[in-house]
Amino acid sequence: MAARFKNLDGSLPHALGNVFKWAVGDKLAGRRRKSPDTAPVRRVEPDLAALATPPATGEGARLTWLGHASWLVQLDGVSLLIDPALRDSITGFIRRNVGPGVPMEKLPPITATLVSHNHFDHLDMPTVLQVGAPVVSGLGMTRYFRPGSPPVTELDWWGSTKVGPVTVHFVPAQHWSRRGLNDVNETLWGGFVVQGSSACVYHSGDTAYFDGFKEIGRRFPALDAAMLPIGAYDPGWFMEKQHMNPEQAVQAYEDLGARRFLAMHWGTFKLTDEPLDEPPQRLDTEWGRRKLPREPLHVLAVGESLSVRRAG
């Protein structure tokens, strides 16, 4: 079946030959870097009393990293989950390196769940169904939800919907989609811009570096925070079509013109060859190389929250 969706530049996922070379050939030949399956990653106990009440209108946004690409975003009286994968493992065999920032049973009431795309580390169906909130995602995603599941609002790139007083925009990413044998690029992937009364934040979803960051920044010129992936990049020849390394993530941050950089997509699940704790080290080095001010850079502990608010 022909792919329904393509990236903005027309690109598609790796051909099967490249996938075999990465997954089998290079591994058997010893050409892939070896690193441990675990590493120490900082986690703090969340302030559950504070998280129980989202910031009200005019009070900015509270962003809590739950691990990997999972965030609790609270603003204007609503609580949103983005790409929640909160169980002990994904796909049954990739186990967590560090526990979720907030366990499912301790989450506040969730107004909506935002799902960037259908890969198992972003659409963890048991988590989404247990949370039970309405879902906002890309085109074609309803196919994965049975009757009686939470309702799904599908958006095209640059489409938007209201979640209470908050506007959620679905924006392009450089990635791909697949969940089964015959659904390659049959559902749309992307990121989110969450726009409230006194804060506007961006979550990239899974993405490689691409020119689209500049267009997102042009259309949303007042991003108070950008949640950007810094892990799952090694080996670069294979991964750079779908993920960013830390150096590319810094360039994406500058392209976006965001006020703050929040690192994600590292330290939780061992998906690629780099050590789990390497990405923030490379991020810190690149930040220093570019002589950027330190105050906007945030590598949160799992479970840690940051409040952001529109300047002025």
Side-chain angles (χ1 to χ4, degrees):
M1 183 180 295
R4 179 180 176 188
F5 299 108
K6 299 179 181 180
N7 287 307
L8 289 175
D9 64 1
S11 63
L12 295 167
H14 276 292
L16 285 177
N18 281 344
V19 175
F20 182 84
K21 179 180 184 297
W22 164 70
V24 180
D26 283 1
K27 192 167 187 177
L28 292 175
R31 288 191 290 263
R32 286 176 55 178
R33 183 158 58 140
K34 294 181 173 62
S35 60
D37 290 338
T38 61
V41 172
R42 213 164 47 98
R43 183 186 181 277
V44 299
E45 288 300 319
D47 186 344
L48 297 177
L51 298 183
T53 305
T57 300
E59 293 182 351
R62 182 192 300 125
L63 313 176
T64 305
W65 189 37
L66 307 180
H68 199 52
S70 306
W71 291 83
L72 174 64
V73 175
Q74 298 175 289
L75 71 171
D76 289 22
V78 304
S79 294
L80 307 174
L81 277 180
I82 304 182
D83 284 359
L86 304 180
R87 297 183 300 143
D88 290 340
S89 65
I90 52 173
T91 67
F93 62 91
I94 301 176
R95 300 195 62 81
R96 299 186 77 91
N97 175 63
V98 59
V102 181
M104 270 189 286
E105 65 273 12
K106 294 184 178 179
L107 287 170
I110 301 301
T111 314
T113 298
L114 315 185
V115 178
S116 65
H117 66 296
N118 69 1
H119 288 160
F120 286 90
D121 57 324
H122 294 257
L123 172 56
D124 183 59
M125 190 62 78
T127 297
V128 173
L129 295 180
Q130 185 169 335
V131 169
V135 172
V136 179
S137 194
L139 296 177
M141 290 288 283
T142 305
R143 65 191 292 168
Y144 301 114
F145 291 82
R146 298 174 181 174
S149 298
V152 180
T153 298
E154 295 184 356
L155 297 176
D156 200 352
W157 285 338
W158 310 118
S160 62
T161 190
K162 298 289 284 189
V163 178
V166 173
T167 303
V168 175
H169 307 268
F170 195 58
V171 297
Q174 183 87 0
H175 202 58
W176 60 292
S177 66
R178 181 174 191 166
R179 198 169 174 89
L181 295 175
N182 300 306
D183 62 348
V184 176
N185 283 17
E186 288 297 304
T187 63
L188 187 60
W189 54 93
F192 294 100
V193 172
V194 179
Q195 199 167 29
S197 62
S198 57
C200 184
V201 301
Y202 166 68
H203 182 291
S204 69
D206 255 355
T207 185
Y209 178 77
F210 73 130
D211 287 340
F213 291 120
K214 295 174 184 175
E215 180 64 13
I216 293 167
R218 188 187 70 80
R219 295 194 187 209
F220 300 97
L223 292 172
D224 297 292
M227 291 162 271
L228 291 167
I230 64 169
Y233 50 77
D234 192 1
W237 75 267
F238 186 79
M239 291 296 165
E240 67 182 2
K241 283 176 64 76
Q242 53 210 324
H243 295 150
M244 291 191 290
N245 62 36
E247 295 79 13
Q248 292 167 327
V250 177
Q251 185 60 58
Y253 162 75
E254 294 201 306
D255 290 351
L256 290 162
R259 290 178 54 233
R260 296 182 183 273
F261 181 119
L262 281 75
M264 67 170 182
H265 205 265
W266 72 276
T268 307
F269 299 112
K270 187 73 163 70
L271 302 175
T272 49
D273 294 348
E274 78 275 3
L276 281 165
D277 56 357
E278 180 182 273
Q281 299 168 27
R282 283 180 52 170
L283 175 63
D284 185 77
T285 298
E286 179 66 9
W287 205 266
R289 187 189 71 81
R290 294 183 184 228
K291 297 181 171 58
L292 296 171
R294 287 281 163 178
E295 192 272 336
L297 176 61
H298 301 276
V299 182
L300 300 184
V302 177
E304 187 176 0
S305 298
L306 178 73
S307 294
V308 300
R309 190 169 181 170
R310 184 167 306 138

